[in-house]
Amino acid sequence: MLIPMPSPPMGPPTDYVMRRRWLMLAILIVQTVSCLLRMVIILDILGGFIMGIGIAFGWYAYKQGMEIQFICSWGMMCLINGAFDLVRFIDHWVKSPLPLFSSTAPGSYNAASAILLVSPLSALAGSWLAWYIYKSYSDDAPAGGDWGAGGGGWGAGAATAGGNSSGRGSLVAEVASSPSRAAANVWALDDV
């Protein structure tokens, strides 16, 4: 793995996720149209191709019944792409001798400005939605989730050091109740 990240929660979609399915569909449609227009009108082939990869994650997640792993991938791609597209939009806006939209400018200029505006907005909206979907899955996950004893993660070593086998949740409770004992357990883990 190139960038170490926690694994997304597993399981069926929550009620919140299913209620937001229409919003994801709307964002994906706007992103798809924006991507196609970006490649055809602005001739930004590489940017459109990279945006298309992220959109493909979103469409696959949607088609698979709101699959959280692909929603997380879509959200990360949207965040990165949205940030770069926002910088590109600001660069266009600052360096252009004309206003963003102008009745004296040709229609292609106004269309390009609209595409440069819609691309980062739809991408950042997708990352925002993916974040809330991820939080919905995380909040509905059972206590401990993947982090319990034997499952790896933060609290996996707590059973050997402090005699506590319930994982991350109990390690947090231990820190809250006795910070010095928890610190001793962390130091004991370094010796293993």
Side-chain angles (χ1 to χ4, degrees), residues 78-110:
C78 283
L79 181 64
I80 293 167
N81 216 16
F84 283 120
D85 286 348
L86 184 62
V87 169
R88 182 173 181 184
F89 169 72
I90 292 170
D91 182 58
H92 168 76
W93 192 16
V94 170
K95 291 181 179 177
S96 177
L98 299 172
L100 187 59
F101 297 103
S102 174
S103 60
T104 60
S108 60
Y109 174 83
N110 289 330

Side-chain angles (χ1 to χ4, degrees), residues 124-166:
L124 294 174
S127 66
W128 170 79
L129 178 63
W131 168 252
Y132 279 101
I133 288 174
Y134 170 79
K135 289 299 290 176
S136 172
Y137 269 93
S138 297
D139 292 345
D140 283 357
D146 266 348
W147 305 98
W154 292 358
T160 60
N164 189 346
S165 63
S166 60

Side-chain angles (χ1 to χ4, degrees), residues 8-44:
M10 303 294 285
T14 63
D15 290 336
Y16 174 83
V17 173
M18 295 313 288
R19 287 193 315 265
R20 297 299 183 260
R21 190 174 164 92
W22 68 269
L23 184 57
M24 184 172 175
L25 177 63
I27 291 172
L28 283 169
I29 290 171
V30 170
Q31 285 179 342
T32 303
V33 170
S34 172
C35 180
L36 292 174
L37 292 176
R38 177 182 188 159
M39 289 193 286
V40 172
I41 293 178
I42 300 177
L43 298 177
D44 182 13

